[in-house]
Amino acid sequence: MSKPFVLDLSEVGAGDVALVGGKCSSLGELFRELTAQGVRSVDGYSTTSHAYEVLLETDGLRKKLQRLLKGLDVNDLEELARVGSEARRLMLDTPFPKEVESAIFTAHEALGKRIGKRTFEVAVRSSATAEDLPDASFAGQQDTILNVRGEKRLIEACHECYASLWTDRAISYRTAKGFDHFDVALAIGIQPMVRSDAACSGVMFTLDTESGFRDVVVINGAWGLGEAVVQGMATPDEWIVFKPTLKLGFRPIVTRKLGVKEVKMVFADESSGTQVRNVVESQRNRFCLAGFEVMQLAQWACSIEDHYSQLAGKPQPMDIEWAKDGVTGELFILQARPETIHGQNTENFIEKYKLVGDHGAPLVSGVAVGEKIGHGTAHVLLDPSRLTNFKEGEILVTSMTDPAWEPIMKRASAIVTDRGGRTCHSAIISRELGIPCIVGAGDATEKIKNGIDITVSCSEGERGNIYYGKVHFEVEKHAITDEHRPKTQVMMNVGDPDHAFAVSRLPNDGVGLARLEFIINNHIGIHPMALVNYPDLKKREEVELISNRIREEDPKEFFVRSLAEGIGRIAAAFYPKPVIVRMSDFKSNEYAMLIGGKEFEPVEENPMIGFRGASRYYDDRYKAGFRLECLALLRAREDMGLVNIKPMIPFCRTVEEGEKVIALMAEYGLKQGENELEIYAMCELPANVVFADEFLKVFDGYSIGSNDLTQLALGLDRDSEMVAHLFDERNGAVEKMVSMAIDAAKRAGKKIGICGQAPSDFPEFAEFLVQRGINSISLNPDTVMQTTRQILETEKRLLGTER
């Protein structure tokens, strides 16, 4: 007779990790361990896989299933559907043995006593013995039944749980992964429900699910029960938190995105089960978690990951479910399991997908999953009963998917869904299959016509685009190796925060140029002075546009937060390496294109050499806008702990102007020399070269802007096609100015780099810079590997010459 065993979770608090024998990472593993110990029932977890084995031996059920499955071809979807349906019928028609029912009732009663309730809702959770393996996640293969009330419904739910081992997708998945159907058993865990139906819930990963970047926690959440997020019914809110400075006590939320949260899953009215309701607009327009709750979840995620990494003896990224109780306001961790896609990735190269063919505007856009591109014939499919019509290589376009769709998902070359976020079912399975996927596209099933050729591109940032036709694309493979680094630092030019995690995997020495303009233009879209003066603007339609974009947030806070998060995401990607952030360098005509911009910008004949750069910052026409920029950098450095950020001043015409700007930055909280703060300047004007010794007494370093320096040294407009043939950074006059700047930096003992395009385009110019002894060369990511090799060869030749 097995010895009795009770797992009492009453003392386990939210966020704590409960273990049996110190080595169980999921319900399935827990029950495998308990079964091995001879345990047959557990308080709070009503039955183990032992009950499933007993059920298989009842009324010859095992033999009936074996006969039914013999010779099954899972690629024959009609036959798969017939066999799956019959297998489930056999399971449901076979009654539980009395001893199993009795064990469930006894444990359920004990659970009620422990939580102090006679009637309560429970979740009946499945966990198969093959779940969460390194090469087979079995994500969502078996059912979990929510809001189960009463003993009669409890037995029915347990029966349904066991029967879910024989769904079409589960049979197909086991076959594809090489598992014998009868080597996989299923355990059921019965847990009291967290009342997230009255609040919110979701999932989080301890890495970036797209790039595999390990230093962040990605949290997704929506109103109601978590199944709405997992199944892709609702496009969730998203937060990204940077782990290294979180552990130091900072508040590094580097990304937050408001999801549409179209629907929510709640308890059914006056019965067991659940129902789906539309979310009211006021809830859709606000985040489902407060900032302090996001921080709490991220801290718990780090603790869970640290724990299981220690047990595994290696870094172990985790996939975690969480919920907030709407009655008590408490947060709970529901489940933690290993992340099985990036956590097992040992590839030492990066694949870079790039569109090279002509294409028009996107047919529709959504959230990109991964960074790949695929094309094929669109198959718009809304009815799962018509899965057999789907052909190999087609692109699945549907409203959302659940595990029932998996037999055809593995046939698809790409997936597009109207709903869902980066952690929904469609996203998880597409990553496992290695195919491009765009979720949360809104109306893709209406705008994409069945049978047309389309291209699904996830290579253009976090927004995925679907284009008409088969657009040509290329795939480049970059080996990742840091074995040999040149003495000359190789840095990167990075403007788009969405790409930062991915490109940071390339061998590098930091970011030599992070442009604020990209973040302001693409993530904010509003002129800073329009936000300063909101709502007192001349055009009411622009007031309305701004109101719709900022929602209920303070307009200045909207700018500071958005800019700080964009900068913070880039700085986090490369932390602790230096990230040099150039303060805004829009020309007046470019600033005027932002919402509300025309009211605050002059009309200039030649904006290229007009009201730009440092001269804007202390001018009353933009001074308040510059203050917001400084506050954003201050927040990223002080609140997020990203002290690797170094601001850089562009187009500084005089030494006195530089002194004035640095004094103004100190007034706004960015004090040179305090908390490791260095302030650099662009060396892009002839005056910056001629008076380099004086400028470098004011600034901590120089970065040569070869584009502006070339046009001003040669006296030509680089935007004019009439003199474009004369624009050449290799011109002797330009090279002499570059040499003079490098020599001045050496005399001053200050760092000097270059962030123009020339070293990427002209290998001989990169060689010239190395010969002159420049400290760093900042390149576009796509040229980093090639130019690094050239720099290594140049340094090797120079060393040989010296010898």
Side-chain angles (χ1 to χ4, degrees):
M1 183 173 177
S2 61
K3 79 174 180 180
F5 183 94
V6 174
L7 175 60
D8 186 359
L9 301 183
S10 60
E11 298 302 317
V12 179
D16 291 340
V17 178
L19 295 173
V20 174
K23 55 183 178 181
C24 299
S25 64
S26 68
L27 279 175
E29 190 173 344
L30 170 66
F31 289 124
R32 286 198 297 276
E33 178 68 15
L34 294 178
T35 302
Q37 296 177 21
V39 178
R40 294 297 176 259
S41 65
V42 181
D43 179 25
Y45 296 90
S46 64
T47 182
T48 73
S49 55
H50 171 71
Y52 176 72
E53 296 295 331
V54 172
L55 186 61
L56 285 180
E57 300 307 322
T58 302
D59 295 342
L61 178 59
R62 183 191 299 271
K63 291 182 179 179
K64 293 176 184 176
L65 289 170
Q66 287 173 334
R67 286 196 297 270
L68 179 64
L69 291 160
K70 188 175 181 180
L72 172 64
D73 179 6
V74 295
N75 293 311
D76 184 339
L77 297 185
E78 289 185 1
E79 180 63 7
L80 174 63
R82 185 193 69 79
V83 169
S85 176
E86 178 63 13
R88 294 191 295 278
R89 186 194 66 77
L90 288 171
M91 290 290 297
L92 292 171
D93 287 350
T94 303
F96 274 139
K98 291 298 181 184
E99 65 268 26
V100 172
E101 283 196 7
S102 177
I104 294 173
F105 292 152
T106 300
H108 184 256
E109 183 180 356
L111 176 59
K113 289 179 179 178
R114 202 187 76 205
I115 64 175
K117 294 181 179 180
R118 294 189 63 183
T119 59
F120 54 97
E121 306 86 5
V122 297
V124 178
R125 306 190 63 150
S126 61
S127 194
T129 53
E131 280 190 329
D132 305 321
L133 299 177
D135 58 349
S137 71
F138 281 80
Q141 295 298 319
Q142 284 76 55
D143 289 345
T144 286
I145 295 100
L146 304 177
N147 189 28
V148 176
R149 304 176 194 172
E151 290 185 343
K152 180 176 182 294
R153 178 59 189 139
L154 177 60
I155 292 298
E156 292 173 350
C158 289
H159 232 138
E160 292 165 13
C161 235
Y162 283 137
S164 70
L165 260 180
W166 301 98
T167 59
D168 303 356
R169 80 255 184 180
I171 296 170
S172 174
Y173 194 87
R174 286 195 295 269
T175 302
K177 293 295 182 180
F179 284 85
D180 186 286
H181 295 294
F182 296 94
D183 285 343
V184 176
L186 185 140
I188 295 174
I190 296 176
Q191 298 172 295
M193 289 285 293
V194 175
R195 289 300 307 268
S196 58
D197 64 304
C200 58
S201 55
V203 296
M204 56 184 175
F205 289 82
T206 59
L207 48 59
D208 177 52
T209 51
E210 306 316 309
S211 65
F213 182 68
R214 295 290 183 93
D215 281 342
V216 291
V217 177
V218 178
I219 301 172
N220 278 190
W223 301 112
L225 301 172
E227 283 295 295
V229 175
V230 174
Q231 293 184 19
M233 298 180 194
T235 305
D237 298 332
E238 180 172 281
W239 300 264
I240 299 179
V241 183
F242 185 52
K243 291 190 288 189
T245 58
L246 173 69
K247 294 178 179 180
L248 296 175
F250 294 96
R251 296 175 52 81
I253 300 177
V254 298
T255 298
R256 74 189 81 199
K257 294 181 180 176
L258 187 69
V260 181
K261 303 185 293 293
E262 303 92 334
V263 297
K264 62 180 177 181
M265 183 179 287
V266 297
F267 287 1
D269 295 330
E270 300 178 0
S271 66
S272 291
T274 60
Q275 60 186 3
V276 176
R277 290 180 179 168
N278 291 329
V279 176
V280 297
E281 188 174 357
S282 60
Q283 277 192 316
R284 291 174 64 171
N285 288 335
R286 62 185 174 92
F287 287 100
C288 66
L289 288 173
F292 74 91
E293 293 171 322
V294 172
M295 298 300 294
Q296 180 67 81
L297 287 174
Q299 288 164 355
W300 287 347
C302 289
S303 297
I304 293 169
E305 180 183 52
D306 290 345
H307 178 84
Y308 286 114
S309 296
Q310 184 178 3
L311 288 178
K314 63 177 183 178
Q316 179 57 72
M318 300 297 291
D319 170 356
I320 302 163
E321 294 180 18
W322 63 269
K324 179 179 178 180
D325 193 303
V327 177
T328 67
E330 295 174 284
L331 290 169
F332 291 90
I333 297 297
L334 304 181
Q335 174 174 295
R337 58 190 175 198
E339 192 275 342
T340 58
I341 306 300
H342 294 288
Q344 302 300 319
N345 185 8
T346 57
E347 293 178 345
N348 61 348
F349 63 86
I350 296 174
E351 281 188 332
K352 181 69 175 177
Y353 283 69
K354 184 178 181 181
L355 287 171
V356 294
D358 295 332
H359 59 79
L363 294 172
V364 67
S365 300
V367 178
V369 177
E371 298 174 342
K372 294 185 176 181
I373 301 173
H375 53 211
T377 302
H379 191 137
V380 182
L381 190 59
L382 300 177
D383 183 359
S385 67
R386 301 178 63 85
L387 298 183
T388 54
N389 297 330
F390 193 87
K391 297 177 182 175
E392 187 84 28
E394 290 182 327
I395 294 176
L396 175 61
V397 182
T398 187
S399 57
M400 65 181 197
T401 67
D402 59 36
W405 293 75
E406 288 173 27
I408 68 159
M409 292 173 79
K410 63 184 182 182
R411 295 182 174 190
S413 59
I415 298 169
V416 179
T417 67
D418 288 339
R419 295 180 176 181
R422 293 203 291 159
T423 53
C424 72
H425 177 267
S426 305
I428 291 170
I429 298 303
S430 66
R431 288 189 199 99
E432 189 169 320
L433 295 173
I435 59 175
C437 174
I438 294 175
V439 297
D443 51 3
T445 52
E446 296 176 12
K447 289 188 174 180
I448 298 174
K449 302 303 180 185
N450 195 53
I452 68 169
D453 287 337
I454 57 172
T455 296
V456 176
S457 172
C458 298
S459 68
E460 302 167 79
E462 293 203 345
R463 295 300 292 170
N465 296 312
I466 297 101
Y467 298 103
Y468 179 79
K470 293 186 176 181
V471 182
H472 184 58
F473 63 91
E474 294 177 348
V475 184
E476 299 175 354
K477 281 192 175 183
H478 298 288
I480 303 172
T481 174
D482 240 346
E483 290 181 7
H484 304 291
R485 299 296 299 153
K487 179 182 176 183
T488 308
Q489 291 187 330
V490 178
M491 306 178 84
M492 278 194 266
N493 302 330
V494 180
D496 185 357
D498 294 347
H499 282 301
F501 292 158
V503 299
S504 69
R505 292 182 64 199
L506 292 166
N508 69 85
D509 296 297
V511 175
L513 176 63
R515 302 178 179 91
L516 287 197
E517 302 90 86
F518 187 96
I519 302 171
I520 294 171
N521 194 47
N522 291 277
H523 292 250
I524 298 173
I526 306 168
H527 195 288
M529 294 303 295
L531 290 167
V532 168
N533 290 277
Y534 176 88
D536 300 322
L537 304 177
K538 293 177 181 178
K539 295 184 177 181
R540 302 320 298 168
E541 61 269 24
E542 293 189 331
V543 172
E544 187 174 340
L545 284 172
I546 294 172
S547 175
N548 291 337
R549 188 160 294 201
I550 67 175
R551 293 185 171 89
E552 297 179 2
E553 193 170 7
D554 176 84
K556 300 185 194 69
E557 171 60 19
F558 170 79
F559 183 91
V560 172
R561 178 190 59 77
S562 301
L563 189 57
E565 289 173 359
I567 297 165
R569 182 160 175 167
I570 296 173
F574 292 86
Y575 183 88
K577 299 170 185 174
V579 172
I580 300 173
V581 177
R582 187 178 70 189
M583 306 305 281
S584 68
D585 193 27
F586 280 121
K587 288 75 174 173
S588 56
N589 61 321
E590 295 168 338
Y591 255 128
M593 299 304 292
L594 297 171
I595 297 172
K598 288 183 173 64
E599 183 173 338
F600 300 96
E601 292 300 326
V603 177
E604 299 184 280
E605 289 296 327
N606 192 348
M608 188 73 74
I609 54 174
F611 189 45
R612 64 175 285 200
S615 62
R616 296 181 69 95
Y617 302 157
Y618 56 86
D619 191 290
D620 287 340
R621 287 171 290 182
Y622 188 74
K623 189 176 179 180
F626 182 62
R627 175 178 174 272
L628 298 183
E629 293 183 31
C630 291
L631 292 178
L633 260 69
L634 185 66
R635 182 174 298 184
R637 284 178 53 86
E638 301 292 333
D639 292 1
M640 300 181 186
L642 297 165
V643 294
N644 57 327
I645 294 172
K646 304 177 187 295
M648 181 164 64
I649 308 303
F651 227 76
C652 187
R653 294 173 168 96
T654 68
V655 175
E656 294 75 21
E657 189 170 60
E659 292 172 338
K660 191 180 293 187
V661 169
I662 283 183
L664 194 59
M665 293 176 74
E667 182 182 327
Y668 297 149
L670 293 172
K671 297 179 181 179
Q672 190 176 29
E674 194 171 283
N675 198 13
E676 305 176 33
L677 178 64
E678 294 181 330
I679 301 177
Y680 285 31
M682 292 287 291
C683 179
E684 53 191 344
L685 310 173
N688 300 146
V689 176
V690 175
F691 283 98
D693 294 319
E694 288 76 12
F695 274 103
L696 287 168
K697 291 175 184 175
V698 176
F699 293 102
D700 296 299
Y702 252 175
S703 182
I704 298 169
S706 59
N707 293 339
D708 274 325
L709 187 60
T710 299
Q711 75 164 345
L712 294 170
L714 299 179
L716 53 84
D717 180 354
R718 60 187 167 102
D719 286 343
S720 170
E721 70 280 1
M722 299 184 71
V723 291
H725 63 285
L726 295 172
F727 188 93
D728 190 344
E729 295 94 332
R730 297 165 297 178
N731 180 280
V734 179
E735 288 192 343
K736 187 168 184 177
M737 285 200 151
V738 170
S739 296
M740 290 169 63
I742 294 173
D743 291 342
K746 288 179 180 178
R747 288 194 300 272
K750 300 288 181 74
K751 294 177 182 177
I752 186 167
I754 188 169
C755 57
Q757 184 63 27
S760 301
D761 292 342
F762 307 117
E764 63 271 28
F765 191 74
E767 184 172 340
F768 156 74
L769 293 169
V770 174
Q771 289 172 341
R772 295 303 307 165
I774 200 164
N775 297 120
S776 65
I777 297 176
S778 193
L779 307 161
N780 292 333
D782 59 348
T783 64
V784 163
M785 302 300 295
Q786 178 183 347
T787 309
T788 299
R789 287 192 291 268
Q790 292 169 353
I791 292 171
L792 280 167
E793 291 170 4
T794 300
E795 290 182 348
K796 186 177 180 181
R797 283 199 304 272
L798 290 173
L799 187 62
T801 303
E802 291 173 3
R803 288 175 179 172

